Amino acid sequence: MPDYQQIKAELEGIAIEDNPNLVSRKSRDFYWYSPILKAQLENVTGDLIVSPASEEEVIKVLKVAFRHDVPVTARGGGTGNYGQCMPLSGGIVLDMTKMNRIKEIHPGRVITEPGIICAQLDRELKEKSGQELRFHPSTTGQATLGGFIAGGSGGVGSVHWGGLRDLGNVLRLRIVTLEEEPRVMELTARDLLKVSHAYGTNGIITEVEMPLAPAYDWVDVIVGHESFMDAVRFSDRLAKSSGILVKEIAPIAAPVPYEYFTRHKPWLKEGEAVTVVMVAPHALAPFEALVKLMKGEIRFRSDEVESLRGIPRAYELGWNHTTLRALKMEPDAFTYLQVQYPGPDHVEKVREMTELFGDEVIGHLEFLRFDGAIQCSGLPLVRYTTPERLEEIIKIHEAHGCPIFNPHRYTLEEGGMKQTDELQLAFKKETDPKGLMNPGKMIAWENPDFDFKAGKNFLFKGLAEAGAE
Amino acid sequence: MPDYQQIKAELEGIAIEDNPNLVSRKSRDFYWYSPILKAQLENVTGDLIVSPASEEEVIKVLKVAFRHDVPVTARGGGTGNYGQCMPLSGGIVLDMTKMNRIKEIHPGRVITEPGIICAQLDRELKEKSGQELRFHPSTTGQATLGGFIAGGSGGVGSVHWGGLRDLGNVLRLRIVTLEEEPRVMELTARDLLKVSHAYGTNGIITEVEMPLAPAYDWVDVIVGHESFMDAVRFSDRLAKSSGILVKEIAPIAAPVPYEYFTRHKPWLKEGEAVTVVMVAPHALAPFEALVKLMKGEIRFRSDEVESLRGIPRAYELGWNHTTLRALKMEPDAFTYLQVQYPGPDHVEKVREMTELFGDEVIGHLEFLRFDGAIQCSGLPLVRYTTPERLEEIIKIHEAHGCPIFNPHRYTLEEGGMKQTDELQLAFKKETDPKGLMNPGKMIAWENPDFDFKAGKNFLFKGLAEAGAE
């Protein structure tokens, strides 16, 4: 056990918190979406929350951590779903939310500290420059920009711009290494892949430069269709209509909308599938024409209700919020998956899976651009029975050419491409020689001989050691 | 022959011009790009230029024309390439350039009169609102917005937004009919297809509402590659990089750039293929990374030259300006084609055609979004020998799955889909019962029995009758 009295003394001047209740609360995220992770990560907690207010303070913390061999797990809003920011080996939870200052706004780009809440950034950007982030997570109200980059992949707006890993969707990251004398590095272009979506395992982000898009008064629209596949075909056609500017397209199968979108229920129709859309105001007329052509019915429009008070925005019905709404109403009934339906026959793949699983796997897609082409990924709700059946559902998807990004795993590789990311591994060797940044998340670091093809789950030994008991 | 003295009297108060030299000059466009059209249309001229300054004046002119059975051919900047605005039966040339007032600018859209020059509109939009048209023709400095809509299809910016026919890329058109009592109609959404790219055969546009995009200080970049196919592969990859914001991607084969882009010659390398690109300033770093990855060399950057005085902008190297530059230097050597290379294997189709024709057909592509997918169309230069060989080259393309939009035909159908557009035909019956709007351009109107499959060219009898001799 590190000498936390000494550590606290060395961190003097920086905000710290060691009340176990508060530390425990800031050591978690939405890992409980997964019954698997819920069991595995329940007792995970850090030892000390440290909240630096500047890059200088970050450097000071990392120096102290290096000296005392204390793990450091960076954290933004804690809105991840697979324990991205949970300190599996305890140690310091580096709360970045005090570093929330916007530094510069230019046409097409912003330079900001990483701890700013995405929605707050978007509000200020719009007010000051008529711009906004190209895309944001559905948790934009709590998620920090740095956390989104370190733990997310895409979101509301990706139907137009693609994802965070696409060249150009992050412009520059400034990071600090965890060494005896921490170094500051600036990454741009293809070098960004070294730290994007690396859960903070190989660098602490202290500054972000992001490209921007024009901010419009997006209109939330919910379109009803008789069947889920009708909604999917409409969504595909809409996504491919380059002239109709939209920011979000999410078809969602019954019974989810009517049963779980409680605030929108008065407008919805029982048994209908819906498509949740965000439309630019100047695109409404062509959008309505397409709805009509595809035999949909507009059930809800945010620009036609008297007040939006108490009604969530469209983006809070999509992405992981869809799952959240179902889980809120029936906590034990559901979990979910993350499915890719590779194009160009993604619609056909969705149809196959829909027919195969019926009501056990309830359709929810997010349309997005992938390598320049329209495609969809899925966040279907799964009626949960056993871990074995969940594994089986995953295997059946993969056998049908629909890869799963497993949201029931806390490691980078198992939740991702199921292989070592050599670039990120090499960078960790450079930036974190002692392996103290977010330990247990990068299998390639913990166990270079791990065989991804053997079909076994990685179990981080530090997890058991650091558990409350 | 109509009684033009009487007509002029009835048009009192409206600007008219009947000096035969001036009328003849305002009766032509860039039809001479085509040796075929050059021979056919050489003697075409109107009888009277009428330049209305308002919708009321347009209505007055159309009323007079109806009464006297005089053809009316609307005209903007005269930058079409196939005689779109050339009065095959003589009559009134309706010069729309006096109707150039911008009426309203809103976030995401503009309402304007149709006769405004595109570049002028873009300048004012940028100054007043930081916005610009989503895309414009390479002739933006002379083309009017109304003319672009009536006679064009896409342009600089279509790589991001698609073309004029895509739902949402024109928001509203106000048109006037040619009847005893002309009616004013407003068309939106799918109804716009009735008059878009109809050469003014079924309505005179008097107001336009267009969607807008953010205006950036686009950087012109010319990238060199050893071979044309290297440039094409780079272009395809760039076009599919959704995160890198560009407005134009045009790969052009040697010897065109070095030989005919005379103002850029000091920067170019003999024998190289180039890609002409317009890049958003905030996308330059990721763009450069992609150039490096694809082994290109940046030859020219507009943000790195001391002065742009005398140097054309990138968009004046692409689209029909590429052809223009070759024709200027070697007037009799070249003509051109308009080729579609349907995706997703468009790059492979380009490779096939490039190998098949060698130096006889010199590659020039424009990348664009088509039904939401990245694709390319071609405006290759053709070393012209005989009309028969030109026909043969067309047939070989079509036999290889590369449809030709024939720029050597003056009719809508022969230059387009080679079939009757029932929607446009039906609308003409409604708006132009006497068939006085731009006669000779819509085969389905002139000769309902014309057999498009028989392989014969349509010859408009009015053309011979109205010819100077």
Side-chain angles (χ1 to χ4, degrees):
Chain A
M1 187 75 176
D3 180 353
Y4 279 106
Q5 282 316 109
Q6 175 61 23
I7 290 170
K8 283 197 274 184
E10 291 176 27
L11 290 176
E12 217 206 304
I14 302 176
I16 57 178
E17 175 60 65
D18 61 359
N19 174 320
N21 283 333
L22 296 179
V23 173
S24 162
R25 218 194 288 162
K26 286 234 166 167
S27 297
R28 33 200 61 216
D29 64 3
F30 288 82
Y31 72 102
W32 50 266
Y33 271 37
S34 159
I36 316 286
L37 294 182
K38 194 174 178 183
Q40 288 178 334
L41 304 183
E42 213 168 8
N43 295 320
V44 167
T45 186
D47 297 300
L48 192 66
I49 310 284
V50 183
S51 305
S54 66
E55 188 180 86
E56 294 69 47
E57 293 192 356
V58 169
I59 291 171
K60 190 169 167 188
V61 177
L62 297 183
K63 233 185 226 186
V64 171
F66 187 86
R67 208 180 299 140
H68 291 271
D69 290 328
V70 179
V72 175
T73 301
R75 169 192 181 83
T79 57
N81 284 8
Y82 351 109
Q84 287 100 312
C85 66
M86 290 177 70
L88 302 189
S89 298
I92 290 174
V93 170
L94 196 69
D95 167 24
M96 300 298 291
T97 55
K98 281 198 170 162
M99 288 183 64
N100 61 359
R101 208 167 44 94
I102 299 173
K103 294 180 168 180
E104 296 175 28
I105 301 173
H106 298 278
R109 63 193 172 93
V110 63
I111 300 173
T112 177
E113 288 183 337
I116 191 163
I117 303 293
C118 294
Q120 177 61 24
L121 175 60
D122 269 350
R123 261 192 302 275
E124 291 196 32
L125 284 170
K126 187 172 180 185
E127 200 183 296
K128 289 178 182 154
S129 75
Q131 302 182 98
E132 64 185 20
L133 291 171
R134 285 178 170 180
F135 48 91
H136 62 71
S138 71
T139 51
T140 182
Q142 302 118 268
T144 63
L145 182 58
F148 183 41
I149 293 168
S153 56
V156 180
S158 287
V159 67
H160 195 93
W161 294 104
L164 283 166
R165 287 183 69 94
D166 288 322
L167 206 51
N169 279 334
V170 178
L171 295 176
R172 185 174 54 85
L173 292 177
R174 196 173 154 97
I175 61 145
V176 180
T177 65
L178 206 167
E179 300 174 277
E180 189 170 358
E181 288 299 328
R183 286 171 298 156
V184 172
M185 300 169 77
E186 302 242 341
L187 304 173
T188 63
R190 300 185 68 223
D191 282 338
L192 290 164
L193 294 175
K194 293 175 180 173
V195 296
S196 283
H197 200 74
Y199 300 178
T201 55
N202 56 14
I204 303 299
I205 299 169
T206 54
E207 189 176 284
V208 179
E209 186 169 344
M210 293 294 275
L212 302 175
Y216 295 110
D217 294 325
W218 301 99
V219 178
D220 299 344
V221 185
I222 300 179
V223 177
H225 274 100
E226 251 180 53
S227 80
F228 178 57
M229 286 313 299
D230 286 343
V232 173
R233 277 182 283 263
F234 161 69
S235 296
D236 192 53
R237 176 82 177 259
L238 175 60
K240 288 174 176 168
S241 299
S242 313
I244 304 178
L245 184 61
V246 297
K247 191 169 175 175
E248 165 76 356
I249 307 177
I252 303 166
V256 175
Y258 189 78
E259 294 300 329
Y260 308 125
F261 295 177
T262 47
R263 301 294 187 148
H264 290 86
K265 194 163 181 162
W267 289 275
L268 303 180
K269 210 175 144 187
E270 196 172 357
E272 255 191 3
V274 305
T275 306
V276 174
V277 192
M278 288 168 68
V279 187
H282 54 283
L284 279 167
F287 171 78
E288 286 177 85
L290 191 69
V291 170
K292 200 174 160 198
L293 182 72
M294 300 297 284
K295 302 191 171 25
E297 295 281 346
I298 292 182
R299 296 288 173 218
F300 174 87
R301 272 177 68 155
S302 61
D303 61 340
E304 289 184 349
V305 294
E306 224 166 272
S307 158
L308 276 175
R309 194 190 280 249
I311 300 177
R313 299 309 308 251
Y315 59 79
E316 291 170 322
L317 301 177
W319 295 87
N320 282 145
H321 266 75
T322 315
T323 321
L324 183 63
R325 287 180 192 283
L327 287 177
K328 262 189 188 168
M329 303 287 285
E330 302 196 44
D332 299 317
F334 295 111
T335 187
Y336 76 120
L337 284 175
Q338 298 180 144
V339 189
Q340 213 187 15
Y341 306 92
D345 60 336
H346 47 280
V347 170
E348 176 54 21
K349 286 195 176 95
V350 169
R351 195 195 56 75
E352 268 183 59
M353 292 301 96
T354 302
E355 288 192 2
L356 203 57
F357 290 107
D359 192 48
E360 187 182 9
V361 178
I362 305 170
H364 163 206
L365 306 178
E366 294 289 342
F367 276 77
L368 38 79
R369 281 219 174 102
F370 188 85
D371 281 349
I374 292 299
Q375 191 173 294
C376 55
S377 63
L379 290 162
L381 282 160
V382 178
R383 291 192 193 272
Y384 186 65
T385 48
T386 64
E388 293 72 30
R389 177 57 185 162
L390 187 58
E391 276 304 310
E392 204 169 46
I393 293 171
I394 290 174
K395 290 214 163 58
I396 294 171
H397 274 85
E398 293 184 329
H400 281 81
C402 304
I404 297 285
F405 292 95
N406 196 337
H408 305 283
R409 300 287 180 268
Y410 56 79
T411 60
L412 283 161
E413 294 95 333
E414 290 168 304
M417 300 301 289
K418 285 112 188 157
Q419 62 186 36
T420 297
D421 184 326
E422 298 291 353
L423 195 68
Q424 294 197 343
L425 174 62
F427 198 58
K428 187 173 175 71
K429 287 178 183 162
E430 207 180 310
T431 58
D432 184 21
K434 285 190 174 175
L436 293 171
M437 287 202 249
N438 205 351
K441 303 298 170 65
M442 189 189 284
I443 298 178
W445 176 272
E446 307 295 342
N447 178 4
D449 300 323
F450 185 78
D451 180 2
F452 290 102
K453 302 232 161 75
K456 286 207 185 132
N457 294 345
F458 173 74
L459 288 173
F460 177 51
K461 66 175 170 33
L463 181 57
E465 286 165 13
E469 261 64 39
Chain B
M1 187 75 177
D3 180 353
Y4 279 105
Q5 281 317 108
Q6 175 62 24
I7 289 169
K8 284 197 275 186
E10 290 177 26
L11 290 176
E12 216 208 303
I14 302 176
I16 57 178
E17 175 60 65
D18 61 0
N19 175 319
N21 283 333
L22 296 178
V23 174
S24 162
R25 217 192 291 162
K26 286 233 164 166
S27 296
R28 34 200 60 215
D29 64 5
F30 288 82
Y31 70 103
W32 49 266
Y33 270 37
S34 159
I36 317 284
L37 294 181
K38 193 174 179 183
Q40 287 177 336
L41 304 183
E42 210 167 10
N43 295 318
V44 166
T45 186
D47 298 300
L48 192 66
I49 310 283
V50 182
S51 305
S54 66
E55 187 179 87
E56 296 67 48
E57 292 193 357
V58 169
I59 291 171
K60 190 168 166 189
V61 177
L62 298 183
K63 232 184 226 186
V64 171
F66 186 87
R67 208 180 298 140
H68 292 271
D69 290 328
V70 180
V72 175
T73 301
R75 169 192 181 82
T79 57
N81 285 7
Y82 351 109
Q84 287 100 312
C85 67
M86 290 178 71
L88 302 189
S89 299
I92 290 174
V93 170
L94 197 68
D95 166 25
M96 299 299 291
T97 55
K98 281 199 169 161
M99 289 182 64
N100 60 1
R101 209 166 44 94
I102 299 173
K103 294 180 168 179
E104 296 175 28
I105 301 173
H106 299 278
R109 65 194 170 92
V110 62
I111 301 173
T112 176
E113 287 183 338
I116 190 163
I117 304 292
C118 294
Q120 177 61 24
L121 175 60
D122 269 350
R123 262 192 300 276
E124 292 196 32
L125 284 170
K126 187 173 181 186
E127 200 183 296
K128 288 177 182 155
S129 75
Q131 302 182 98
E132 63 185 20
L133 292 171
R134 286 178 169 179
F135 49 90
H136 61 71
S138 71
T139 52
T140 181
Q142 302 118 269
T144 62
L145 181 57
F148 183 40
I149 293 168
S153 56
V156 180
S158 287
V159 66
H160 194 93
W161 295 103
L164 283 165
R165 288 183 69 93
D166 288 322
L167 205 51
N169 279 334
V170 179
L171 295 176
R172 184 173 54 86
L173 292 177
R174 195 173 155 96
I175 61 146
V176 180
T177 65
L178 206 167
E179 300 174 277
E180 189 169 358
E181 290 299 329
R183 287 171 295 156
V184 173
M185 299 169 78
E186 302 241 342
L187 303 174
T188 62
R190 300 186 67 223
D191 282 338
L192 290 163
L193 294 175
K194 293 174 181 174
V195 296
S196 283
H197 199 77
Y199 299 178
T201 55
N202 55 14
I204 304 300
I205 299 169
T206 54
E207 189 177 284
V208 179
E209 185 170 344
M210 292 295 274
L212 302 176
Y216 295 110
D217 294 325
W218 301 99
V219 178
D220 298 344
V221 185
I222 300 180
V223 177
H225 274 100
E226 250 181 53
S227 80
F228 179 57
M229 285 314 298
D230 285 343
V232 173
R233 278 181 284 262
F234 162 69
S235 297
D236 192 53
R237 176 84 178 258
L238 175 60
K240 287 174 176 168
S241 299
S242 313
I244 304 178
L245 185 60
V246 297
K247 192 170 175 174
E248 165 76 356
I249 306 177
I252 303 167
V256 175
Y258 189 78
E259 293 300 331
Y260 308 126
F261 294 177
T262 47
R263 299 295 186 149
H264 290 86
K265 193 164 181 161
W267 289 276
L268 303 180
K269 208 175 145 188
E270 195 171 359
E272 255 191 4
V274 305
T275 306
V276 174
V277 192
M278 288 168 67
V279 187
H282 54 283
L284 279 167
F287 171 78
E288 286 177 85
L290 191 69
V291 171
K292 200 174 160 198
L293 182 72
M294 300 296 285
K295 300 187 173 27
E297 295 281 346
I298 292 183
R299 296 289 173 216
F300 175 87
R301 272 176 68 156
S302 62
D303 61 340
E304 289 184 349
V305 294
E306 222 167 275
S307 157
L308 275 174
R309 193 190 281 248
I311 300 177
R313 300 308 309 250
Y315 58 80
E316 289 170 323
L317 302 177
W319 295 87
N320 282 145
H321 266 74
T322 315
T323 321
L324 183 62
R325 287 179 193 283
L327 287 177
K328 262 189 187 169
M329 303 287 286
E330 302 196 43
D332 298 318
F334 295 112
T335 187
Y336 76 121
L337 285 176
Q338 298 179 145
V339 189
Q340 213 186 15
Y341 307 93
D345 60 336
H346 47 281
V347 170
E348 176 55 21
K349 286 195 176 96
V350 169
R351 195 195 56 75
E352 268 182 58
M353 293 301 95
T354 302
E355 287 191 2
L356 203 57
F357 290 108
D359 192 49
E360 186 181 11
V361 179
I362 304 170
H364 162 207
L365 306 178
E366 295 288 343
F367 275 78
L368 38 78
R369 281 218 174 102
F370 189 83
D371 282 348
I374 291 300
Q375 192 173 295
C376 54
S377 63
L379 289 163
L381 281 160
V382 177
R383 291 193 192 272
Y384 186 64
T385 48
T386 64
E388 292 72 30
R389 177 58 184 162
L390 188 58
E391 276 304 309
E392 204 169 46
I393 293 172
I394 291 174
K395 289 214 163 58
I396 294 172
H397 274 86
E398 294 184 328
H400 282 80
C402 304
I404 298 285
F405 291 95
N406 196 336
H408 305 282
R409 300 289 180 268
Y410 57 77
T411 60
L412 284 162
E413 294 94 334
E414 290 167 305
M417 301 300 291
K418 285 113 188 156
Q419 63 186 36
T420 298
D421 184 326
E422 298 291 352
L423 194 68
Q424 295 197 343
L425 175 62
F427 197 59
K428 186 172 176 70
K429 286 177 183 162
E430 207 180 310
T431 59
D432 183 22
K434 284 189 174 176
L436 293 171
M437 286 202 251
N438 204 353
K441 304 296 171 65
M442 190 189 284
I443 298 178
W445 176 272
E446 307 294 342
N447 178 5
D449 299 324
F450 185 78
D451 180 2
F452 289 101
K453 303 234 161 72
K456 284 205 186 135
N457 294 344
F458 173 74
L459 288 172
F460 177 50
K461 65 175 170 32
L463 181 57
E465 286 165 13
E469 259 62 42

